[in-house]
């Protein structure tokens, strides 16, 4: 039984590691400027962790094989272990994992600790159970005033836009997010009720939307197309329905869309959703 268990451990280890070489279940193609750095950091991490996992499981199988039950003649021997070895592998593990954290910090910090570049396209994102609301500033580039007391779902005013504010006259809201290709985008994330999470897998980042906070994140998408947006935080009974689409549009097409009034904007968004299919095998 000892030998059989050791072989089973080795087979399971080989099967687990082989899945990462096949890459049948892997990330979709990245579409943001920071995606290559994040993918590279993930690959380095998975290789190091994979080597440690394989070594540990091979060692476990070897111990099970070597010290299997050989019958009544075998007697167990107590050993306290080696303090030196424990110190060595603790230090090595700490150095490896702290090193990985430091390597990945620069990419993460560039998204969360630095301000968006000047000239970024801004979108206000207001999440609620169970839908996304995207607020566009319109042709003047200035957001109209919003007030939570003005929220009226029956009137489709999901973000509390003050229509009496002159800056709100050309503002547009929609459940689909449309961003320009190759231009930095800054999202101002808010939540009306519970914690939600903005997640487009191809962008390679996730960010919570927390009630009472305006959280800013920025990125640059570099590949036109339609991509699925999902809420990645369990936000209630209908959480699974809280999904939408993100359109990455060429600069000219995006500028034309942003110049349209609300009614034409709605129609044009529908046309663009049909024009750009979701990525294959997604």
């Amino acid at each position: 039984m000892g030998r059989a268990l050791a072989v089973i451990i080795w087979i399971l280890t080989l099967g687990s590691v082989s899945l990462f070489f096949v890459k049948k279940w892997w990330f979709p193609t990245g579409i943001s400027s920071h995606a290559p750095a994040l993918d590279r950091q993930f690959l380095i991490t998975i290789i190091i962790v994979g080597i440690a996992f394989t070594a540990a499981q091979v060692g476990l199988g070897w111990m099970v094989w070597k010290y299997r039950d050989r019958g009544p003649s075998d007697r167990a021997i107590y050993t306290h272990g080696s303090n030196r070895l424990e110190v060595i592998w603790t230090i090595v593990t700490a150095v490896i994992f702290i090193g990985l954290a430091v390597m990945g910090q620069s990419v993460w910090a560039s998204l969360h600790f630095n301000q968006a570049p000047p000239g970024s396209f801004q979108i206000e994102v207001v999440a609620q159970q169970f839908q996304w609301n995207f607020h566009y500033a319109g042709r003047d580039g200035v957001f109209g005033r919003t007030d939570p007391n003005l929220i009226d779902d029956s009137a489709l005013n999901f973000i509390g836009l003050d229509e009496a504010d002159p800056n709100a006259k050309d503002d547009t809201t929609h459940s689909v997010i449309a961003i320009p290709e190759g231009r930095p985008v800054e999202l101002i994330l808010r939540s009306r009720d519970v914690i939600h999470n903005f997640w487009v897998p191809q962008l390679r980042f996730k960010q919570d939307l927390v009630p009472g906070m305006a959280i800013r994140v920025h990125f640059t998408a570099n590949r036109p197309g339609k991509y699925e947006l999902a809420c990645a935080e369990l936000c209630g009974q209908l959480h699974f329905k809280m999904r939408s689409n993100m359109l990455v549009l060429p600069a000219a097409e995006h500028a034309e869309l942003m110049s349209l009034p609300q009614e034409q904007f709605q129609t044009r968004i529908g046309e663009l959703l049909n024009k750009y299919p979701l990525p294959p095998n997604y």
Side-chain angles (χ1 to χ4, degrees):
M1 289 299 296
R3 290 178 176 177
L5 179 57
V7 172
I8 291 173
I9 291 173
W10 292 332
I11 291 175
L12 289 175
T13 301
L14 179 62
S16 300
V17 173
S18 66
L19 292 176
F20 291 93
F21 288 95
V22 173
K23 289 189 176 182
K24 185 176 180 180
W25 301 279
W26 202 247
F27 296 145
T29 302
I31 63 168
S32 59
S33 59
H34 62 267
L38 283 175
D39 288 353
R40 183 169 56 252
Q41 179 63 31
F42 181 86
L43 185 60
I44 293 172
T45 301
I46 205 69
I47 289 174
I48 293 175
V49 173
I51 292 173
F53 169 78
T54 302
Q57 299 309 305
V58 169
L60 175 61
W62 178 79
M63 294 295 288
V64 170
W65 182 293
K66 182 176 180 180
Y67 297 104
R68 66 189 182 277
D69 184 6
R70 300 175 185 271
S73 60
D74 274 358
R75 294 181 61 85
I77 300 175
Y78 171 78
T79 174
H80 178 70
S82 170
N83 291 335
R84 177 181 296 179
L85 286 177
E86 291 179 7
V87 170
I88 290 174
W89 67 54
T90 300
I91 292 176
V92 170
T93 302
V95 169
I96 291 174
F97 283 95
I98 292 174
L100 288 173
V102 171
M103 290 172 61
Q105 184 180 13
S106 60
V107 179
W108 187 88
S110 67
L111 295 175
H112 296 272
F113 288 169
N114 298 328
Q115 293 184 348
S120 297
F121 181 75
Q122 290 187 321
I123 304 174
E124 288 189 340
V125 183
V126 181
Q128 68 180 91
Q129 296 174 311
F130 299 93
Q131 73 178 42
W132 296 99
N133 305 294
F134 300 101
H135 178 198
Y136 302 94
R139 285 169 293 191
D140 62 2
V142 180
F143 288 109
R145 190 179 77 89
T146 57
D147 184 344
N149 295 317
L150 298 176
I151 291 176
D152 185 355
D153 289 355
S154 63
L156 303 182
N157 189 358
F158 300 110
I159 66 172
L161 183 64
D162 183 3
E163 296 181 358
D165 181 9
N167 292 325
K169 298 301 182 182
D170 62 347
D171 285 15
T172 304
T173 60
H174 202 281
S175 60
V176 172
I177 180 171
I179 64 175
E181 174 196 10
R183 178 181 174 185
V185 174
E186 182 179 31
L187 304 183
I188 305 169
L189 305 171
R190 295 185 174 92
S191 173
R192 278 179 42 178
D193 35 48
V194 300
I195 296 177
H196 299 279
N197 185 282
F198 184 96
W199 180 43
V200 177
Q202 288 85 352
L203 287 179
R204 297 294 194 273
F205 87 87
K206 303 165 86 172
Q207 177 60 54
D208 282 349
L209 296 85
V210 183
M213 298 179 65
I215 300 173
R216 294 174 179 262
V217 294
H218 60 91
F219 59 88
T220 302
N222 50 30
R223 182 172 298 186
K226 179 173 69 174
Y227 307 95
E228 186 176 17
L229 161 65
C231 175
E233 185 75 34
L234 182 59
C235 58
Q237 187 176 11
L238 299 180
H239 160 72
F240 68 96
K241 286 189 173 182
M242 190 170 173
R243 57 178 59 192
S244 182
N245 289 294
M246 182 183 76
L247 288 169
V248 181
L249 304 175
E253 195 168 40
H254 183 265
E256 180 220 352
L257 176 66
M258 292 299 117
S259 67
L260 298 176
Q262 178 78 21
E263 297 77 11
Q264 297 179 28
F265 185 96
Q266 304 277 352
T267 303
R268 183 57 177 156
I269 281 285
E271 295 172 351
L272 292 170
L273 288 173
N274 292 326
K275 175 182 178 180
Y276 292 99
L278 286 170
N281 301 323
Y282 181 68

